[in-house]
Amino acid sequence: MMIVLSGMIGAGKSSLTTILAEHLGTQAFYEQVDDNPVLPLFYADPKKYAFLLQIYFLNKRFASIKRALADDNNVLDRSIYEDSLFFHINADMGRATEQEVQVYDELLDNMMEELPYAAHKKAPDLLVHLEISYDKMLEHIKKRGRSYEQPENDSSLVGYYHNLLDRYDAWYQNYNYSPKMQINCDQLDFVDNPVDRQKVLALIDEQLKKRGTL
């Protein structure tokens, strides 16, 4: 069984990944953020480093997925299927050239074709998408305190975050690589509220049982 999470910056993907891995007694795989040497460079100069950052993430994520697919049960805190969404938003904001977009899209396509040959399954068993409002997302971002993510330090982030939120709805509706479900993070606080945490775990367990993977 492999579960992947998706959702906005600050939605709580890493937290739910930890909770799910403990609940299921399996391994968690995390997106490299705190020790990512390119991420601060991107926030300081998005136009210069957008392509490098996305290639960095794509490489790390591909390696994580191959390791996860090689084992029986795992939870990943970010899906590779979201990578194109992030990079194309940056491209539309003038942070990447047409040539960079072409190179990136071709590389991603090649990686996606290789995944079935890297392991015994072609796709996750379940995608858990974390839906969140702009205000709640900002609350989470402020709480974890990464300076380069704060809109008050960079006003351009306001448009960037709203752009991501607007596009995530369509991305989720069009996602068809695996079974999927949504968790409303405004209504269910699985980090600080034990009752909400159990509700979220029960919802995910229900989906897994329906598909015979739990």
Side-chain angles (χ1 to χ4, degrees):
M1 176 176 61
M2 186 175 78
I3 302 171
V4 296
L5 276 71
S6 66
M8 274 294 296
I9 298 162
K13 296 180 298 299
S14 296
S15 296
L16 186 54
T17 295
T18 300
I19 293 167
L20 265 176
E22 291 176 354
H23 173 67
L24 297 170
T26 189
Q27 187 173 357
F29 289 82
Y30 300 97
E31 183 175 50
Q32 187 176 356
V33 176
D34 290 333
D35 55 349
N36 181 333
V38 184
L39 194 57
L41 299 175
F42 166 75
Y43 278 100
D45 191 344
K47 189 170 185 179
K48 182 176 180 180
Y49 290 103
F51 179 70
L52 177 61
L53 176 67
Q54 211 59 44
I55 293 297
Y56 181 92
F57 272 134
L58 188 60
N59 181 46
K60 295 294 184 181
R61 193 150 16 254
F62 188 69
S64 293
I65 290 174
K66 288 196 296 181
R67 292 198 304 272
L69 284 170
D71 295 331
D72 290 332
N73 298 296
N74 290 290
V75 184
L76 289 86
D77 77 337
R78 172 74 78 181
S79 98
I80 197 169
Y81 308 103
E82 294 166 89
D83 278 64
S84 181
L85 169 70
F86 275 83
F87 187 60
H88 278 265
I89 285 177
N90 277 297
D92 290 346
M93 296 174 72
R95 297 171 172 178
T97 66
E98 291 184 10
Q99 186 63 52
E100 287 173 332
V101 171
Q102 182 180 345
V103 170
Y104 174 82
D105 286 344
E106 290 176 356
L107 177 60
L108 179 60
D109 287 344
N110 285 335
M111 286 182 165
M112 295 301 293
E113 288 177 3
E114 287 298 316
L115 276 179
Y117 304 102
H120 58 278
K121 64 172 64 180
K122 296 183 179 181
D125 294 289
L126 180 66
L127 172 87
V128 180
H129 181 66
L130 302 186
E131 185 181 16
I132 193 168
S133 68
Y134 181 77
D135 289 341
K136 181 61 70 171
M137 179 202 72
L138 283 188
E139 181 183 317
H140 290 179
I141 286 174
K142 290 179 185 297
K143 186 176 180 180
R144 72 183 179 190
R146 294 175 186 148
S147 61
Y148 52 79
E149 292 180 341
Q150 310 305 320
E152 60 265 30
N153 296 334
D154 181 358
S155 60
S156 70
L157 290 175
V158 175
Y160 179 60
Y161 289 156
H162 277 295
N163 203 350
L164 278 173
L165 279 168
D166 290 343
R167 297 201 191 190
Y168 252 118
D169 288 338
W171 176 87
Y172 177 76
Q173 294 302 320
N174 292 327
Y175 175 87
N176 60 3
Y177 294 97
S178 72
K180 60 186 179 182
M181 65 176 291
Q182 284 194 103
I183 300 294
N184 189 312
C185 298
D186 286 35
Q187 298 176 0
L188 294 168
D189 180 5
F190 49 79
V191 176
D192 296 320
N193 187 320
V195 174
D196 285 352
R197 187 181 309 132
Q198 291 307 311
K199 288 180 181 178
V200 169
L201 291 174
L203 289 170
I204 295 172
D205 284 350
E206 180 183 1
Q207 293 297 320
L208 294 173
K209 288 175 181 176
K210 283 182 180 179
R211 292 161 177 82
T213 54
L214 184 65

